């Protein structure tokens, strides 16, 4: 019997996990191991994927994967033995007891003035961002890990200028499954932070501790922060922290990052272990007696064999040994073993597999979960079903229900759009526009009354105010859209969308996870492209990146709004919705073509956790919005500001740098005239339109500001263009090359060849679609 055959509500014990390679390792790391108990919770509305409960959390996977997992059905609830197990117990080195365990005679603190560097490591959704923000306040710096595109956030702990915390990407394991896992483990191995802060979601402790086990093996000073303790305690649970410290050999501090409880204690522990370089007291979790000690003997045998290699390679021995047993190629390569040694290792491991009756990866994963099980049985009083979980289940009955999931999704997106573009956004935008208008008039009056030179006045009013002002008024809409997107993401809803959209997206050759970058793409292509790095397969990543630019980003809104006002008054909403749809339809068509040509093959499997719904923290959301607003303002006052001035200059002077009366004789008209013939078939051969489109490559918003500068305000455009031309221009702007910033981020992710390709092919697609649209517009208008 396989997991696929298990019906809703029933439980089973896993017998065997099929499949191979990194994906199978990922299954094992997520706790899908032989011996574990799974329960089927529900199927997605389209019948695939399936949601499971395992180790007390919710996991989704596709039926085609479930098919590879052999099970044995069990009656009723899980019958896990609850016996008390004697464990090696060691006193932990923390300072909670006033340094009781600390050996003063041999203490060896780092020299004063040495920077205390920390790596903040934890699962996704364990509260890392929340804790990082609590720790650092506003002293943070966002950058990139050298050589890779994963975001890197550094910050100094408040009131401890000697510290530096690096927020590592959220990961489930130290296996090389996704690029983020590799980044994290290389950071710990190579940058050698002075200590690790491991954040553990206490409401989901078994799965989270799997990463803790591997961090302990890395033999760096470490503190475990048990987060979400407010929820555990609120639901009648407890964790015997002192006992857990003894069992793990590192300080364990219960905290609530969201409520800022226990964070000070965490900081003092973290500083202590880093300052005195107190390493974990245990990293040997294999049970001598379990299954004849097969795994234990194997790991220790391997340890002895590779001891010298690990030392030379600078990899902690225990970590190297378990990775060798798991068959981790990256680690094996670094160890520089010769053939004879490799052969001996292979023999040891095969012997273990035979004695243990499990293959190598499963045996190691099982060993870790076995230890975790023992620790939890002794230290964790499980809360009754948490209010949060019960609430999530109720919400999910509607939001991922068989008949309600997709209608709810459409409704939610519709509400978001109406609120963003119509109600809230339009109102705030109106206010801002009025303010800018007033300021422009005042400045103009001032310039006139002081008798400033006509040319300068034209530069300030027609160039700068017209250009920057028209873009600035979109700030509210952009901030509001990001507000909704971040709420959807932080609350856990986007994970659900990925869950029920998976089957649909698979038809297009993508996986459910690609929905995340696509939705973010409606905000801005830059973060959308960056967010694709959570996709574990290169193929999916590339394909998703190629498709996100079709999701109309907020920067194009000023263009739509401008033309809709001028040409389609009263039908604005409809036209904008149609543009968004056209973008999506084009993306789908392109995806189908890609799937059948360059990107043949299956999308990666879909293994994902469904976290409980949580109310996002106001602080986190506020910080994100502030970042987006800052970003936008910077663009408005740099790129768009400069573009406005340059264009004003080029359109007011001729090649002899003489002021021109008629801008048709300007430098700009001449330059744009060279490319204009290509746009003539679209009815967009006017040099001013061509210019604005070229400037749109710098920043989409500037299409509007440039048009206003060149045509002398909205009225000028309205008289100069036909309605058909306006429609064609809208379609072209929707689809043509993403802006420089987006191209730059595509280049970072995929390299310059792909970036160039995107520019060319998006322009080509835009041209073709615009041409087709023009044809239909001419018939129907
Ligand atoms: P990350 O994915 O690890 O960065 O996690 P986040 O910091 O984004 O947190 C995930 C969710 O958990 C957010 O909705 C937080 O508001 C919530 N959260 C974080 N810490 C706590 C906590 O201590 N208690 C509770 N109840 N919720 C928390
Ligand atoms: Mg986060």
């Amino acid at each position: 019997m396989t997991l696929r055959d298990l019906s809703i509500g029933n439980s089973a014990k896993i017998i065997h996990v099929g499949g191979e390679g990194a994906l199978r390792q990922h299954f094992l790391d997520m706790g899908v191991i032989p011996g574990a108990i799974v329960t089927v919770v529900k199927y997605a509305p389209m019948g695939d994927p399936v949601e499971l409960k395992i180790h007390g959390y919710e996991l989704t996977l596709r039926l085609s994967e479930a098919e590879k997992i052999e099970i044995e059905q069990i009656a009723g609830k899980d019958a896990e033995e609850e016996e008390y197990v004697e464990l090696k117990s060691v006193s932990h080195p923390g300072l909670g007891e006033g340094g009781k365990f600390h050996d003063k005679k041999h203490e060896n603190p780092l020299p004063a003035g040495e920077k205390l560097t920390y790596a903040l490591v934890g699962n996704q959704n364990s509260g890392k961002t929340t804790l990082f923000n609590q720790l650092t306040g506003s002293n943070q710096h966002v950058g990139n890990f050298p050589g890779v595109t994963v975001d890197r956030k550094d910050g100094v702990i408040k009131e401890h200028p000697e510290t530096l915390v690096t927020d590592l990407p959220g990961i489930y394991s130290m296996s090389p499954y996704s690029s983020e896992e590799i980044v994290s483990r290389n950071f710990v191995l190579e940058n050698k932070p002075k200590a690790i802060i491991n954040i553990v979601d206490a409401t989901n402790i078994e799965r989270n501790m799997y990463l803790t086990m591997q961090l302990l093996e890395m033999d760096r000073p470490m503190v475990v922060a048990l987060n979400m303790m407010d929820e555990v305690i609120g639901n009648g649970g407890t964790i015997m922290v002192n006992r857990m410290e003894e069992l793990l050999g590192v300080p364990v501090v219960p905290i609530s990052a969201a409520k800022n409880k226990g964070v000070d204690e965490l900081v003092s522990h973290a500083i202590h272990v880093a300052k005195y370089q107190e390493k974990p007291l245990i990293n040997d979790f294999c049970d001598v007696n379990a299954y004849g000690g097969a795994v234990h003997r194997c790991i220790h045998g391997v340890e002895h064999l590779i001891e010298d290699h690990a030392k030379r390679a600078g990899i902690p021995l225990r970590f190297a040994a378990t990775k060798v047993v798991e068959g981790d190629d990256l680690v094996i390569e670094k160890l520089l073993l010769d053939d004879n040694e490799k052969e001996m290792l292979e023999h040891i491991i095969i012997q273990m597999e035979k004695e243990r009756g499990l293959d190598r990866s499963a045996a190691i994963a099982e060993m870790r979960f076995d230890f975790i099980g023992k620790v939890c049985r002794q230290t964790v009083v499980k809360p009754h079903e948490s209010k949060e979980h019960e609430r999530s289940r109720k919400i999910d009955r509607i939001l991922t229900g068989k008949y309600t999931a997709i209608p709810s999704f459409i409704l939610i997106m519709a509400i978001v759009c109406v609120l963003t573009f119509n109600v809230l956004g339009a109102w705030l935008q109106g206010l801002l526009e009025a303010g800018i208008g007033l300021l422009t008039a005042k400045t103009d009056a001032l310039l006139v009354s002081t008798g400033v030179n006509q040319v300068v006045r034209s530069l300030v009013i027609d160039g700068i105010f017209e250009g920057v002002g028209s873009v600035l008024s979109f700030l509210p809409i952009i901030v509001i859209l990001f507000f909704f997107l971040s709420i959807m993401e932080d609350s856990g809803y986007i994970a659900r969308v990925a869950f029920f959209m998976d089957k649909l997206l698979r038809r297009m050759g993508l996986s459910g996870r690609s929905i995340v970058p696509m939705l973010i793409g409606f905000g801005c292509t830059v973060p959308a492209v960056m967010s694709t790095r959570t996709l574990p397969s290169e193929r999916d990543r590339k394909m998703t990146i190629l498709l996100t630019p079709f999701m109309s980003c907020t920067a194009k809104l000023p263009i739509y709004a401008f033309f809709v006002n001028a040409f389609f008054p009263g039908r604005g909403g409809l036209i904008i919705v149609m543009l968004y749809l056209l973008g999506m339809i084009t993306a789908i068509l392109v995806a189908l073509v890609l799937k059948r040509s360059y990107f043949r093959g299956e999308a990666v499997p879909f293994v994902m956790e469904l976290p409980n719904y949580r109310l996002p923290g106001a602080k986190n959301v506020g910080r994100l919005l502030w970042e987006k607003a800052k970003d936008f303002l910077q663009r408005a006052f740099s790129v768009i500001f400069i573009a406005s001035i340059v264009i004003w200059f080029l359109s007011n002077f001729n090649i002899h740098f003489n002021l021109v009366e008629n801008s048709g004789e300007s430098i700009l008209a001449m330059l744009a005239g060279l490319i204009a013939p290509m746009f003539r078939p679209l009815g967009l051969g006017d040099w001013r339109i061509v210019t604005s489109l070229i400037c749109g490559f710098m920043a989409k918003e500037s299409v509007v500001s440039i048009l206003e500068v060149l045509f002398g305000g909205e009225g000028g455009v309205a008289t100069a263009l036909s309605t058909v031309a306006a429609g064609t221009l809208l379609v072209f702007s929707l689809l043509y090359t993403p802006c420089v910033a987006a191209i730059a981020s595509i280049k970072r992710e995929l390299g310059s060849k792909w970036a160039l390709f995107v520019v060319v092919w998006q322009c080509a697609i835009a041209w073709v679609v615009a041409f087709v649209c023009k044809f239909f517009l001419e018939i129907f208008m």
Side-chain angles (χ1 to χ4, degrees):
M1 182 175 184
T2 71
L3 192 50
R4 191 184 176 134
D5 311 318
L6 197 63
S7 48
I8 294 181
N10 286 329
S11 301
K13 188 173 176 176
I14 296 177
I15 305 293
H16 176 76
V17 181
E20 55 191 32
L23 172 71
R24 177 165 187 272
Q25 183 67 51
H26 187 55
F27 276 146
L28 299 168
D29 291 341
M30 298 291 280
V32 183
I33 51 167
I37 308 291
V38 281
T39 310
V40 173
V41 179
K42 69 156 65 146
Y43 290 91
M46 283 175 259
D48 191 12
V50 57
E51 181 182 340
L52 306 167
K53 194 170 163 115
I54 187 163
H55 294 295
Y57 79 101
E58 259 113 65
L59 178 77
T60 70
L61 42 97
R62 290 195 186 131
L63 292 182
S64 51
E65 260 81 56
E67 215 162 40
K68 296 179 191 151
I69 297 168
E70 266 172 51
I71 52 161
E72 184 179 90
Q73 190 159 350
I74 51 173
K77 285 274 156 197
D78 44 333
E80 257 179 81
E81 78 281 37
E82 287 280 335
E83 74 199 75
Y84 180 89
V85 193
E86 194 53 55
L87 279 158
K88 288 180 250 184
S89 135
V90 202
S91 27
H92 84 91
L95 87 172
E97 299 73 14
K100 188 160 70 179
F101 296 108
H102 188 55
D103 182 356
K104 297 283 183 206
K105 268 188 229 105
H106 302 102
E107 75 178 1
N108 195 13
L110 293 174
E114 181 132 0
K115 198 123 203 119
L116 299 181
T117 50
Y118 295 92
L120 182 59
V121 197
N123 283 188
Q124 284 162 22
N125 290 308
S126 57
K128 256 159 26 69
T129 307
T130 316
L131 178 62
F132 184 76
N133 289 344
Q134 292 288 10
L135 287 175
T136 59
S138 51
N139 307 317
Q140 29 182 290
H141 168 79
V142 182
N144 250 303
F145 286 100
V148 276
T149 48
V150 176
D151 247 358
R152 169 178 179 159
K153 262 201 202 164
D154 291 327
V156 175
I157 298 180
K158 273 183 280 188
E159 291 160 33
H160 292 279
E162 76 280 18
T163 59
L164 187 73
V165 184
T166 301
D167 186 14
L168 293 183
I171 53 170
Y172 292 111
S173 165
M174 287 281 170
S175 321
Y177 174 65
S178 65
S179 54
E180 317 205 310
E181 291 177 345
I182 298 176
V183 166
S184 300
R185 78 179 196 185
N186 286 351
F187 185 82
V188 176
L189 288 175
E190 279 153 30
N191 289 43
K192 298 212 186 317
K194 294 287 181 300
I196 297 172
I197 299 173
N198 173 216
I199 179 160
V200 163
D201 175 355
T203 61
N204 191 346
I205 193 157
E206 293 176 31
R207 221 271 327 289
N208 274 253
M209 286 243 287
Y210 189 79
L211 181 63
T212 310
M213 299 286 102
Q214 297 180 60
L215 292 172
L216 289 171
E217 288 181 345
M218 298 185 107
D219 204 33
R220 305 295 310 163
M222 179 162 129
V223 201
V224 170
L226 277 185
N227 193 27
M228 317 250 181
M229 281 306 283
D230 53 323
E231 272 184 30
V232 172
I233 292 167
N235 296 302
T238 320
I239 292 174
M240 324 277 189
V241 175
N242 289 330
R243 179 85 180 120
M244 187 173 273
E245 287 182 328
E246 284 174 28
L247 296 172
L248 297 179
V250 289
V252 176
V253 187
I255 66 167
S256 167
K259 309 219 155 98
N260 200 10
K261 294 231 173 80
V263 177
D264 292 339
E265 198 191 334
L266 177 69
V267 169
S268 54
H269 274 280
I271 288 183
H272 186 89
V273 295
K275 187 82 192 159
Y276 293 96
Q277 286 297 293
E278 291 180 341
K279 297 195 171 170
L281 295 183
I282 316 177
N283 61 20
D284 180 6
F285 324 107
C286 38
D287 191 334
V288 189
N289 300 317
Y291 309 99
V295 177
H296 160 80
R297 282 180 283 116
C298 170
I299 293 177
H300 290 273
V302 171
E303 274 185 15
H304 289 309
L305 254 175
I306 63 167
E307 206 166 342
D308 50 335
H309 292 266
K311 196 162 184 186
R312 251 176 277 140
I315 305 179
L317 181 56
R318 170 79 186 192
F319 180 75
T322 48
K323 288 292 155 197
V324 165
V325 178
E326 278 179 334
D328 183 324
D329 290 332
L330 292 179
V331 170
I332 294 176
E333 206 173 290
K334 278 202 190 134
L335 289 176
L336 303 173
L337 301 159
D338 67 30
D339 289 343
N340 189 41
E341 284 168 315
K342 280 187 190 158
E343 204 173 307
M344 278 195 277
L345 290 174
E346 192 60 22
H347 282 298
I348 296 178
I349 298 167
I350 290 178
Q351 184 62 29
M352 177 276 286
E353 289 181 323
K354 221 159 67 187
E355 287 182 33
R356 179 64 187 82
L358 286 177
D359 67 282
R360 53 198 75 187
S361 318
I364 295 287
E366 202 272 346
M367 179 271 292
R368 293 199 186 110
F369 275 109
D370 196 36
F371 181 81
I372 294 169
K374 284 178 199 163
V375 172
C376 291
R377 276 199 291 278
Q378 292 184 50
T379 56
V380 180
V381 178
K382 282 242 156 95
H384 47 80
E385 184 185 10
S386 68
K387 287 192 291 291
E388 289 77 13
H389 187 252
E390 202 184 324
R391 189 181 59 199
S392 287
R393 237 178 359 142
K394 282 191 187 141
I395 299 177
D396 263 344
R397 227 176 278 157
I398 295 175
L399 292 188
T400 66
K402 197 167 164 73
Y403 302 106
T404 47
I406 289 174
S408 316
F409 176 61
I410 294 172
L411 186 70
I412 289 175
M413 294 313 283
I415 292 175
V416 166
C417 286
V418 168
L419 283 179
T420 310
F421 301 130
N422 256 331
V423 184
L424 283 171
W427 177 68
L428 286 170
Q429 189 183 17
L431 280 183
L432 203 61
E433 260 171 357
I436 293 169
L438 201 68
L439 192 67
T440 312
K442 279 260 155 58
T443 316
D444 199 18
L446 186 76
L447 291 177
V448 170
S449 70
T450 47
V452 170
N453 176 306
Q454 259 304 310
V455 181
V456 175
R457 184 177 149 233
S458 156
L459 169 67
V460 173
I461 301 300
D462 304 333
I464 299 171
F465 271 82
E466 195 75 60
V468 176
S470 57
V471 168
L472 210 54
S473 62
F474 280 87
L475 181 64
I477 288 196
I478 286 165
V479 170
I480 292 171
L481 188 61
F482 271 109
F483 170 75
F484 286 120
L485 282 173
S486 74
I487 297 262
M488 285 201 291
E489 174 148 30
D490 282 2
S491 65
Y493 181 58
I494 287 195
R496 266 78 180 180
V497 177
F499 170 62
F500 64 73
M501 296 291 269
D502 181 62
K503 191 164 178 185
L504 209 64
L505 282 161
R506 202 144 36 118
R507 296 235 171 95
M508 297 162 45
L510 291 170
S511 92
R513 286 181 179 228
S514 304
I515 199 84
V516 180
M518 303 261 183
L519 286 180
I520 297 177
F522 287 114
C524 172
T525 313
V526 176
V529 167
M530 268 160 48
S531 72
T532 58
R533 52 168 205 248
T534 54
L535 301 176
S537 107
E538 265 315 289
R539 177 191 166 283
D540 281 24
R541 241 163 66 81
K542 272 201 189 120
M543 203 161 152
T544 311
I545 289 176
L546 292 186
L547 296 177
T548 35
F550 291 107
M551 306 298 128
S552 174
C553 73
T554 41
K556 292 177 194 159
L557 272 175
I559 313 182
Y560 304 159
F562 177 82
F563 279 98
V564 157
N565 269 341
F567 292 93
F568 309 97
R571 280 176 294 163
L574 182 71
I575 302 271
I576 292 181
V577 169
M578 276 166 57
L579 282 168
Y580 273 78
L581 284 179
L582 181 66
M584 289 188 255
I585 291 168
T586 314
I588 293 173
L589 293 177
V590 168
L592 291 176
V593 171
L594 288 177
K595 185 187 162 197
R596 278 177 181 71
S597 52
Y598 188 81
F599 293 97
R600 257 174 244 275
E602 262 295 295
V604 282
F606 179 75
V607 191
M608 206 170 80
E609 182 191 357
L610 290 184
N612 282 347
Y613 286 104
R614 286 204 172 86
L615 219 54
K619 254 194 188 161
N620 273 356
V621 175
R623 194 181 297 269
L624 182 97
L625 294 188
W626 167 235
E627 272 168 23
K628 295 296 168 207
K630 209 169 62 180
D631 208 47
F632 179 79
L633 288 176
Q634 269 168 0
R635 272 155 63 82
F637 284 102
S638 56
V639 184
I640 296 170
F641 178 76
I642 292 169
S644 300
I645 294 179
V646 170
I647 294 299
W648 171 85
F649 175 79
L650 292 177
S651 65
N652 276 285
F653 290 84
N654 63 16
I655 21 173
H656 306 296
F657 295 110
N658 288 323
L659 206 57
V660 292
E661 276 298 304
N662 172 2
S663 51
E665 295 154 13
S666 64
I667 308 178
L668 192 60
M670 208 184 71
L671 292 177
L674 298 177
I675 331 177
M678 284 167 65
F679 288 89
R680 216 155 281 148
L682 298 179
L684 304 175
D686 190 308
W687 65 275
R688 290 169 289 197
I689 297 176
V690 176
T691 310
S692 72
L693 287 174
I694 295 172
C695 297
F697 182 51
M698 297 296 134
K700 288 291 153 102
E701 304 92 325
S702 61
V703 170
V704 171
S705 33
I706 301 304
L707 284 175
E708 295 217 353
V709 173
L710 292 181
F711 281 95
E714 195 177 311
V717 187
T719 46
L721 280 183
S722 68
T723 314
V724 172
T728 316
L729 182 56
L730 276 177
V731 172
F732 190 83
S733 325
L734 164 74
L735 297 173
Y736 86 118
T737 174
C739 69
V740 169
I743 291 294
S745 65
I746 292 176
K747 176 172 165 263
R748 260 188 317 180
E749 302 290 325
L750 299 181
S752 25
K753 256 202 271 170
W754 279 102
L756 189 68
F757 171 75
V758 170
V759 174
V760 176
W761 107 305
Q762 291 257 134
C763 286
I765 290 175
W767 198 96
V768 172
V769 178
F771 191 76
V772 173
C773 286
K774 174 172 174 264
F775 177 77
F776 283 108
L777 282 172
E778 272 167 353
I779 295 178
F780 293 110
M781 301 286 286

